[in-house]
Amino acid sequence: MVFGIVHLVGMVATVVMSVLLWRQRARQGRAWPWLMAGLVASALWPVTLWPAVAAYWHRKGESAKAPLIAGACALGAVIALLVVGGLSGPEQRAQPAGPQVLREPSSPPPSVIAPEPVLAPPPQRDRALVRDVLDDDRVLIQVPGQEPQVVRIAGVQAPAAGECWSFEARAFAEGALRDATVQVTFGVGWSSGRSPEPEVSLVLPGGAEYSSLALQQGAARLHPQAFLAEGLTSELTQAQATAKTAGRGLWGQQCSAAQAAPVPPQNEEALPAYYANCEQARAAGAAPLRRGDTGYSSTLDSDGDGIACG
């Protein structure tokens, strides 16, 4: 009878403790570890309790330590309950306060979608007919199915009218471009200080890029403020260096001599003389002064006949 009562009290105490801990844990989102702990402790309780009670009654008359043995066994069951209940991961025990986002158990965790890289659109390429050469770096082209438009040849600066090699540069552009069917590439760059026509790269029927060819032959200079695609910039820079080394066109001796020739100074316009009276005019050797002459003044022409200091 005594053993049954002790056993029943122990199981009830174990279940009550498990329920209390389960309710506490349920508020934090994980209840199953404590439920399992209650079941395990219910099984461990009689295993630890019965040997303790048996040892107590067996040694009751022989030792005063029998109650301590029984208490230690009971305490072991409680410790087992706490250890099993604490098996949940630390990341689950440290749930933050506040509302939680609930998902269906079968739903996959949200994935982080990396943004796709933004790529620059490829340059527009068309075949076009060069209808006219307006000047050495502007042409009128017509893409099939579109209206004619004026474009500027990218990266080059032709010699101005009257400058050395300007006539030859014009003839080179006319011969290479007029009435030619070329491949036009838009969006290759721009040059500061120019008119707003789009700058293009022109590939001639033979496959040569016109800007590079004109620079190689010395028919143009590389524009000093051109901002072009990296590959085109290096190609044009090398083409101009080739023309300089070979002394072609603008970099030849004839243009170098013209640039080195001194420019005769322009005569400065003489300021008109001013004479306070006729004595000063006669002393300067300017008298008589006629109307329209330098230094003539109506104040010196007392009779108004157009001759002062006569």
Side-chain angles (χ1 to χ4, degrees):
M1 183 68 179
V2 175
F3 297 106
I5 294 174
V6 173
H7 183 72
L8 180 62
V9 171
M11 291 191 64
V12 170
T14 302
V15 172
V16 170
M17 184 180 296
S18 299
V19 170
L20 292 177
L21 293 175
W22 178 83
R23 288 171 61 86
Q24 175 66 24
R25 195 62 179 174
R27 285 196 291 268
Q28 300 181 7
R30 293 293 298 276
W32 67 266
W34 294 102
L35 182 60
M36 295 299 298
L39 296 176
V40 172
S42 298
L44 292 177
W45 182 267
V47 175
T48 58
L49 178 63
W50 283 110
V53 173
Y56 173 74
W57 287 106
H58 178 71
R59 301 177 60 86
K60 181 180 180 182
E62 301 179 5
S63 174
K65 296 182 179 180
L68 297 179
I69 297 175
C73 294
L75 180 62
V78 175
I79 293 176
L81 173 65
L82 296 176
V83 171
V84 175
L87 290 179
S88 61
E91 68 282 355
Q92 298 295 335
R93 290 197 298 269
Q95 291 288 340
Q100 302 294 319
V101 179
L102 300 180
R103 299 194 304 270
E104 294 293 332
S106 59
S107 63
S111 59
V112 178
I113 301 177
E116 296 183 358
V118 179
L119 301 178
Q124 178 186 350
R125 292 184 174 89
D126 292 298
R127 297 192 66 82
L129 174 66
V130 180
R131 302 181 64 91
D132 193 11
V133 178
L134 304 180
D135 49 45
D136 301 343
D137 51 17
R138 289 192 312 143
V139 294
L140 178 67
I141 65 171
Q142 183 173 16
V143 177
Q146 300 181 15
E147 292 294 327
Q149 62 176 322
V150 177
V151 295
R152 190 175 291 276
I153 302 171
V156 297
Q157 183 179 33
E163 186 181 355
C164 180
W165 212 255
S166 59
F167 178 80
E168 291 82 356
R170 175 73 179 189
F172 178 84
E174 290 276 354
L177 294 174
R178 183 179 290 275
D179 298 329
T181 300
V182 297
Q183 181 178 352
V184 185
T185 303
F186 293 85
V188 295
W190 64 283
S191 299
S192 177
R194 285 187 163 182
S195 53
E197 292 93 358
E199 297 207 10
V200 300
S201 171
L202 301 179
V203 178
L204 301 175
E209 205 281 328
Y210 175 77
S211 297
S212 178
L213 182 62
L215 291 172
Q216 286 181 6
Q217 298 302 319
R221 298 184 184 90
L222 181 62
H223 195 282
Q225 294 179 311
F227 301 92
L228 309 173
E230 182 177 357
L232 184 59
T233 299
S234 59
E235 179 182 351
L236 299 188
T237 302
Q238 181 61 40
Q240 178 168 277
T242 301
K244 286 183 177 181
T245 302
R248 297 174 185 155
L250 288 167
W251 315 109
Q253 294 182 357
Q254 63 279 6
C255 291
S256 300
Q259 293 177 0
V263 178
Q266 297 180 353
N267 295 328
E268 295 183 358
E269 182 180 357
L271 296 177
Y274 172 77
Y275 304 106
N277 49 51
C278 289
E279 286 75 11
Q280 291 184 359
R282 293 188 182 96
L289 296 170
R290 304 181 186 277
R291 185 179 288 115
D293 291 345
T294 300
Y296 173 85
S297 173
S298 60
T299 59
L300 303 178
D301 187 4
S302 57
D303 56 358
D305 62 349
I307 300 174
C309 303

